[in-house]
Amino acid sequence: MADGYVSYPSVFVVDSGTKLPPLPPKPGQTRIQNRRNRQIQNILLVLVCLALIGLLVEGCFIYYLHWNNKTSEDKSDNPQTEARRGPNEENPITKKPKLPTILHPSKPLAHLTAGDKKPKKDGIMEWKENGDSILYGLIHRDGKLIVQKEGYYYVYSKLSYSAEGPPFIQMVKKNTTRYLGNSITLLTYYRHNSNSVHKGSMRSSFLGGVFHLYKEDAVFVHVNNGTLVRLHNSADNFFGMFML
Ligand SMILES: *[C@@H]1O[C@H](CO)[C@@H](O)[C@H](O)[C@H]1NC(C)=O
Ligand SMILES: *[C@@H]1O[C@H](CO)[C@@H](O)[C@H](O)[C@H]1NC(C)=O
């Protein structure tokens, strides 16, 4: 019994010994490895293919963009084709970049410079509209700026005048339909001239302030003596206003 008992483990040992030869399963393992390798190769192949397809698609996009740019350049280079098309939807888009140079102000404003004429007997300064002047949302008539839109306005004026002779008085006035026949003084400049100044001396006045103005109010610059105003430079004499 005891022998048999001992023999059992030996049999087990032999069994385990005989199990060593069945190493051949290793070739099976290499087969599995080979299969895995093949799978990895396949996956790599698929990845490489995807990368190539990606490159191809990218190339197509670049070519498409380049071609698009070329055709749009051709379009702008060829105004005849644009003219032939007439008022097309594409035209405003091509003209848009030019807009900022002629951008309109958002609110009424005016800046006028003096012409070469001195004020007449009524003392109202005259202004000219030239390249330096701006007029938007206001009407300029006989030296007056006529308000078209009620609101708060900053009104300003500067004049150059002779420092010799009688006192110089400059006023910014408004004529409103609410007070018939009467003009209201908004701003006043007064300077007593003295005889001790050098001949040909000049001074300049400046007036500015904020006022609430109604539609049809007429704002203008008035001087007590027009012969005192010096008109040698249009940048020296100006009148303007803008809505706040
Ligand atoms: C205006 O000024 C001129 C020149 O200084 C002077 O001769 C003339 O008398 C003045 N006129 C008035 C109305 O003050
Ligand atoms: C101001 O308005 C009144 C009445 O409408 C008019 O008689 C007068 O000539 C105006 N004055 C000016 C300087 O516009």
Side-chain angles (χ1 to χ4, degrees):
M1 283 285 282
D3 278 354
Y5 218 90
V6 171
S7 68
Y8 268 113
S10 70
V11 168
F12 274 114
V13 168
V14 168
D15 269 354
S16 66
T18 49
K19 258 184 189 171
L20 275 172
L23 273 172
K26 270 186 179 175
Q29 275 180 355
T30 54
R31 238 180 274 151
I32 290 162
Q33 267 188 346
N34 278 348
R35 222 181 285 161
R36 269 189 204 155
N37 282 351
R38 245 176 275 139
Q39 274 178 351
I40 289 164
Q41 272 180 357
N42 283 347
I43 288 164
L44 280 174
L45 207 79
V46 167
L47 284 175
V48 166
C49 281
L50 278 174
L52 281 173
I53 288 163
L55 274 174
L56 208 80
V57 169
E58 203 179 324
C60 283
F61 267 118
I62 289 167
Y63 178 77
Y64 177 74
L65 279 174
H66 190 71
W67 186 76
N68 248 14
N69 273 359
K70 244 189 174 181
T71 47
S72 62
E73 269 170 28
D74 287 350
K75 269 181 208 164
S76 55
D77 282 351
N78 200 346
Q80 275 190 332
T81 52
E82 256 180 41
R84 246 181 265 146
R85 271 182 202 158
N88 204 342
E89 275 184 349
E90 281 178 24
N91 279 353
I93 294 161
T94 51
K95 275 176 189 169
K96 254 182 186 172
K98 288 175 191 168
L99 274 175
T101 52
I102 50 156
L103 189 72
H104 285 300
S106 56
K107 290 173 181 178
L109 74 89
H111 179 89
L112 304 169
T113 55
D116 42 19
K117 273 185 267 172
K118 289 197 178 190
K120 291 175 202 135
K121 272 194 177 168
D122 61 3
I124 294 173
M125 283 290 298
E126 284 180 34
W127 312 99
K128 65 177 176 187
E129 289 171 49
N130 58 11
D132 302 326
S133 58
I134 307 164
L135 192 63
Y136 179 80
L138 291 153
I139 291 170
H140 174 219
R141 194 190 300 142
D142 305 325
K144 293 162 210 149
L145 284 170
I146 296 145
V147 174
Q148 300 300 295
K149 198 178 167 191
E150 183 194 330
Y152 286 93
Y153 286 83
Y154 180 76
V155 183
Y156 63 92
S157 178
K158 178 193 178 271
L159 290 178
S160 283
Y161 64 95
S162 168
E164 299 167 272
F168 181 76
I169 304 162
Q170 177 194 356
M171 284 187 263
V172 173
K173 294 184 165 197
K174 83 165 174 181
N175 205 1
T176 175
T177 51
R178 282 156 189 263
Y179 305 98
L180 282 174
N182 277 321
S183 53
I184 298 158
T185 303
L186 303 175
L187 300 158
T188 307
Y189 172 93
Y190 178 92
R191 178 94 192 222
H192 214 87
N193 281 338
S194 70
N195 294 321
S196 58
V197 293
H198 293 291
K199 242 189 159 0
S201 292
M202 285 201 342
R203 288 205 186 100
S204 57
S205 63
F206 185 84
L207 293 168
V210 174
F211 303 95
H212 182 259
L213 299 169
Y214 294 96
K215 193 175 189 286
E216 297 302 325
D217 279 1
V219 184
F220 55 95
V221 177
H222 180 269
V223 290
N224 65 323
N225 189 332
T227 57
L228 295 174
V229 178
R230 291 285 165 269
L231 298 167
H232 60 284
N233 188 344
S234 71
D236 274 334
N237 302 286
F238 52 79
F239 168 46
M241 60 196 279
F242 55 85
M243 198 187 201
L244 300 173

